[in-house]
Amino acid sequence: MPWSKMDTQRQEVSQFRARLWWALLVIVIVFVGLVSRLVYLQVWQYERYATESDDNRQQLQAIAPTRGLIYDTNGALLAGNRASHSLTLVPEQLIGGRRGIDNVLAELAQVVSIDQNDVKRFNRRLNQPRRPHSPVALRFQLNPTEIAQITVNQHRLPGVRIVPELVRFYPLDKGFVHALGYVGRINDRELAKLDSANYSATHHVGKLGVERFYETELHGNVGYQTVETNARGRVLQVLDRFEPVPGKNITLFLDAQLQQAAAKLLEGKRGAIVAIDPKTGGVLAMASAPSYGANQFVTGISNANYQALRGSDDLPLFNRALRGRYPPASTVKPVMAIAGMDSGIISRKYSLWDPGYYQLTEGGRLYRDWKEGGHGQVDMHKSIVESVDTYYYAIAHIMGNDPMTKYLAQFGLGQVTIADQPEATKAVLPTQQWKRINRSASWFPGDSLNLGIGQGFLSATPTQLATMAMVLANKGKWHQIRMIKAINDQPVEKVSDIGRNDPKQPSDVALERSSDWNKIHNAMIDVMHGKKGTGRRSGAESSYKMAGKTGTAQVLGIKQDSTYDAATIAERFRDHGLYIGWAPAKDPVIAIAVIIENGGGGSSAAAPLARKLFDLSILGAQSKTKAKEGAENDG
């Protein structure tokens, strides 16, 4: 028994030692495994996991550049920026993918107002190319109450950020949108064309006009910052920052005071006014009526408001100054007179007897003059002063299509004349080829007669007519028509100065006899100041001389045996009133075109508006000069 007991004890000790060694071996193996794993992770895989760690706690965020400002010629701010707060989501910080996003959207809807349109736009932005961890906008322009509500509930809204930003603001919004254009949210079509990296933090882009044409200069270049965040995505500190390059500031020739006056003169009317500086080609005013406010488009106009604008019979969204096509009517008569004289088709002393009508063939159709009974004996001077249609029927019949369209093109018709307004249209300058292509018909003598008085197939925009007035005022001298005056205070003579292609522009109009310019100028001065001038009422009692030409464009065809009676015709079918001119007559500082749709005669509807703008431009400038001189003398 003792031996048996001792053997059992020895056996137990042996088993214990074996188990101990096995346990020790396991411990050693585990320890070696842990050390090996630690070495592997800390040494061999250091760069990989260091990068992943940094990715978890560090984020690269794009910083939107500040959009450049737009000023008028006198330094008045036309387009600035103001602070706004946007509600955004960072999808990478939401657990559960699409389900996580939907859960957060549902939570947010209980905190602030979010409609289905907000969600639809958010989903579109979510599917657009973007940088990881960059926020996706859900709503813009949060008010202080909404900001406070989101901040209080931030603990249960992972991935939700309130992002402060600067958005476009137009301090002089009324009447400026058709000249400036506006900035709006980037849509899918625009995003496909834009530099995705440079616009990674930008939600808006120039949509129309100056804002669109100079988008590259105004936008600037994106910046970046590396930030450290906690597990909830809250920024703890900025580790590195590359500052964005702000957009360039732009100065326009546009005169805010003149623009406001033009817009006010057009209130309650449909039409357009374009004013140009004849010495530079700079656009001083460009108003189209009716108009609308640009600020409502910056962060998204409501569907109801947009449909109201779009459905209006008065077409407020339509830019009449750049895209309106109107028969120029009698405003082209000075150019037709030049065409006849300079081409040698008629003599400078050519005259005819006006019985009140013109006939191509005896017993044929009567092409009537506006004055029943006619004007008697008419020469070139009288034909412009009293706007005698019969004179231009006759010379148009002699000239035919080619000489007329050749000279009209030299004055800017049938082409885009403005360099930096992308919405401008060239309207229609009807040649024989144009009619064959577009009407599948030959050119007839009657077409020439209509063209001679600015009717028929011929159409022009108000901008083209203002350009024509400038070239007439300058005695054939052309300047590039443009909005831009300077970028960052550096003068811009042509858009090619900033790397754009200059649009094709006619050469200066050189006449065989330079004295013909004086004949045309004198006639246009008498239009405004002569005893029988069609614009004499608008030129009366002026302290300076002005030159101009009125026009009345027929909208509704009148039968041969009928007479025009505005009182019996629906307002939409009444004549358009037109006017072109410049002032002062001898050393012009402003050339202008006015069109009033269905306003009646140009002498009553358009010329009085031009006179008021002439007074503001000339007498207002003189008053400022006198006041400045008086202050200097007092000093």
Side-chain angles (χ1 to χ4, degrees):
M1 289 295 295
W3 288 101
S4 177
K5 186 175 183 181
M6 185 174 292
D7 289 340
T8 302
Q9 289 177 347
R10 287 175 180 174
Q11 187 178 2
E12 289 177 354
V13 170
S14 177
Q15 289 177 350
F16 174 76
R17 286 176 179 174
R19 291 172 181 170
L20 183 61
W21 282 109
W22 279 109
L24 183 61
L25 180 61
V26 171
I27 292 172
V28 169
I29 291 173
V30 171
F31 181 75
V32 170
L34 289 175
V35 171
S36 299
R37 183 63 177 170
L38 183 63
V39 171
Y40 174 78
L41 294 176
Q42 295 292 328
V43 179
W44 299 108
Q45 295 292 316
Y46 172 78
E47 292 185 1
R48 173 190 170 187
Y49 288 104
T51 301
E52 290 184 4
S53 176
D54 287 341
D55 287 344
N56 287 333
R57 69 181 182 86
Q58 296 180 12
Q59 295 178 14
L60 184 65
Q61 297 179 347
I63 307 173
T66 302
R67 192 172 181 85
L69 308 178
I70 302 177
Y71 297 95
D72 89 329
T73 189
N74 298 311
L77 182 64
L78 302 179
N81 303 304
R82 64 178 176 183
S84 179
H85 291 80
S86 301
L87 175 61
T88 68
L89 273 71
V90 182
E92 289 79 5
Q93 295 178 1
L94 302 178
I95 300 173
R98 181 70 237 189
R99 180 178 296 178
I101 294 173
D102 292 338
N103 290 339
V104 171
L105 290 175
E107 289 280 351
L108 273 172
Q110 298 177 10
V111 178
V112 294
S113 174
I114 298 175
D115 60 31
Q116 290 302 313
N117 289 328
D118 293 327
V119 176
K120 288 180 181 178
R121 287 191 288 264
F122 168 81
N123 288 328
R124 285 202 300 268
R125 298 185 193 106
L126 186 64
N127 294 324
Q128 293 169 352
R130 61 183 181 84
R131 287 180 173 273
H133 297 282
S134 61
V136 180
L138 175 61
R139 263 199 57 195
F140 297 92
Q141 282 191 310
L142 298 175
N143 59 47
T145 301
E146 290 172 326
I147 294 172
Q149 289 172 334
I150 295 169
T151 303
V152 169
N153 291 277
Q154 188 75 57
H155 64 283
R156 61 188 184 94
L157 299 172
V160 174
R161 289 186 190 172
I162 297 175
V163 178
E165 61 179 342
L166 293 175
V167 297
R168 210 46 154 179
F169 175 66
Y170 301 97
L172 302 175
D173 194 17
K174 190 174 183 180
F176 280 78
V177 66
H178 291 301
L180 295 179
Y182 64 84
V183 164
R185 295 177 186 171
I186 299 173
N187 58 37
D188 296 344
R189 177 174 49 83
E190 292 162 339
L191 188 67
K193 297 178 181 179
L194 295 171
D195 182 344
S196 59
N198 198 30
Y199 281 78
S200 56
T202 304
H203 300 122
H204 301 85
V205 69
K207 297 284 187 177
L208 294 172
V210 171
E211 291 276 25
R212 176 184 169 191
F213 188 86
Y214 293 106
E215 173 64 27
T216 302
E217 289 75 20
L218 290 167
H219 178 260
N221 295 316
V222 69
Y224 297 97
Q225 66 179 8
T226 303
V227 299
E228 184 178 13
T229 61
N230 61 15
R232 292 181 175 273
R234 187 182 297 276
V235 175
L236 301 177
Q237 62 176 325
V238 176
L239 302 176
D240 190 22
R241 184 179 176 93
F242 178 75
E243 294 293 340
V245 178
K248 297 175 181 178
N249 295 334
I250 288 179
T251 301
L252 304 180
F253 281 101
L254 206 70
D255 185 320
Q257 187 179 11
L258 198 66
Q259 178 74 15
Q260 286 177 311
K264 188 171 182 62
L265 289 171
L266 289 173
E267 284 183 359
K269 303 177 178 68
R270 295 183 302 276
I273 296 175
V274 179
I276 295 174
D277 180 356
K279 300 181 187 300
T280 63
V283 176
L284 302 174
M286 180 180 285
S288 175
S291 186
Y292 60 96
N295 283 322
Q296 62 184 325
F297 280 85
V298 173
T299 53
I301 186 172
S302 70
N303 186 62
N305 289 342
Y306 180 69
Q307 291 303 325
L309 289 173
R310 189 177 180 183
S312 172
D313 292 338
D314 291 331
L315 304 177
L317 295 174
F318 183 62
N319 191 336
R320 289 166 165 83
L322 293 170
R323 301 188 62 80
R325 299 181 180 187
Y326 304 91
S330 296
T331 61
V332 301
K333 287 176 179 176
V335 176
M336 293 300 182
I338 289 174
M341 292 188 299
D342 191 61
S343 64
I345 292 175
I346 62 170
S347 70
R348 287 161 179 80
K349 294 183 179 180
Y350 175 82
S351 67
L352 55 73
W353 177 263
D354 170 28
Y357 60 86
Y358 184 82
Q359 285 180 299
L360 287 171
T361 58
E362 186 175 350
R365 175 183 172 179
L366 299 179
Y367 291 85
R368 299 183 182 279
D369 186 79
W370 66 268
K371 184 179 180 181
E372 188 176 354
H375 295 81
Q377 196 67 30
V378 180
D379 60 7
M380 187 276 293
H381 185 89
K382 184 176 180 179
S383 74
I384 293 176
V385 174
E386 299 184 33
S387 198
V388 182
D389 291 334
T390 308
Y391 184 91
Y392 292 94
Y393 289 141
I395 66 172
H397 187 198
I398 298 170
M399 284 191 288
N401 177 271
D402 289 345
M404 290 189 287
T405 54
K406 171 190 171 184
Y407 279 88
L408 288 171
Q410 291 182 42
F411 284 82
L413 272 66
Q415 58 204 286
V416 173
T417 60
I418 187 165
D420 50 3
Q421 285 283 10
E423 288 77 42
T425 182
K426 62 182 182 180
V428 177
L429 179 58
T431 62
Q432 297 180 61
Q433 182 182 12
W434 175 90
K435 191 179 180 188
R436 281 196 301 270
I437 294 173
N438 291 275
R439 301 300 172 109
S440 301
S442 300
W443 188 267
F444 299 110
D447 296 328
S448 294
L449 267 60
N450 285 329
L451 180 59
I453 62 166
Q455 294 276 175
F457 301 118
L458 178 64
S459 67
T461 68
T463 301
Q464 288 174 325
L465 294 180
T467 302
M468 184 172 73
M470 180 201 76
V471 179
L472 283 167
N474 288 341
K475 297 183 177 180
K477 175 67 177 176
W478 265 87
H479 296 290
Q480 186 181 86
I481 310 301
R482 64 201 187 280
M483 306 292 294
I484 190 75
K485 182 179 182 180
I487 294 182
N488 280 348
D489 297 326
Q490 296 299 312
V492 176
E493 298 295 332
K494 291 186 175 182
V495 296
S496 58
D497 292 350
I498 58 173
R500 307 296 179 87
N501 293 326
D502 285 328
K504 187 177 179 181
Q505 175 179 297
S507 301
D508 291 347
V509 183
L511 302 184
E512 289 293 327
R513 293 188 186 181
S514 59
S515 60
D516 288 345
W517 289 117
N518 295 331
K519 296 179 186 297
I520 298 299
H521 278 216
N522 290 336
M524 294 182 73
I525 290 170
D526 280 353
V527 168
M528 304 303 295
H529 302 284
K531 291 182 179 179
K532 293 188 177 181
T534 55
R536 63 188 182 278
R537 289 191 180 90
S538 296
E541 300 179 0
S542 173
S543 60
Y544 58 90
K545 294 287 186 181
M546 62 194 81
K549 183 70 191 79
T550 61
T552 304
Q554 184 176 307
V555 176
L556 186 67
I558 305 298
K559 295 180 180 180
Q560 280 284 295
D561 55 351
S562 301
T563 57
Y564 177 81
D565 183 2
T568 63
I569 297 175
E571 190 265 346
R572 295 275 177 171
F573 297 107
R574 294 173 187 170
D575 293 342
H576 299 325
L578 300 93
Y579 175 86
I580 66 166
W582 65 86
K586 297 300 182 183
D587 187 20
V589 298
I590 180 173
I592 203 166
V594 181
I595 292 181
I596 303 300
E597 291 183 13
N598 314 118
S603 58
S604 59
L609 276 60
R611 167 63 189 276
K612 291 179 180 179
L613 293 177
F614 285 156
D615 284 350
L616 177 62
S617 180
I618 296 169
L619 303 181
Q622 291 177 357
S623 299
K624 292 178 183 177
T625 302
K626 290 179 180 179
K628 184 177 180 181
E629 291 174 350
E632 290 175 351
N633 292 333
D634 291 342

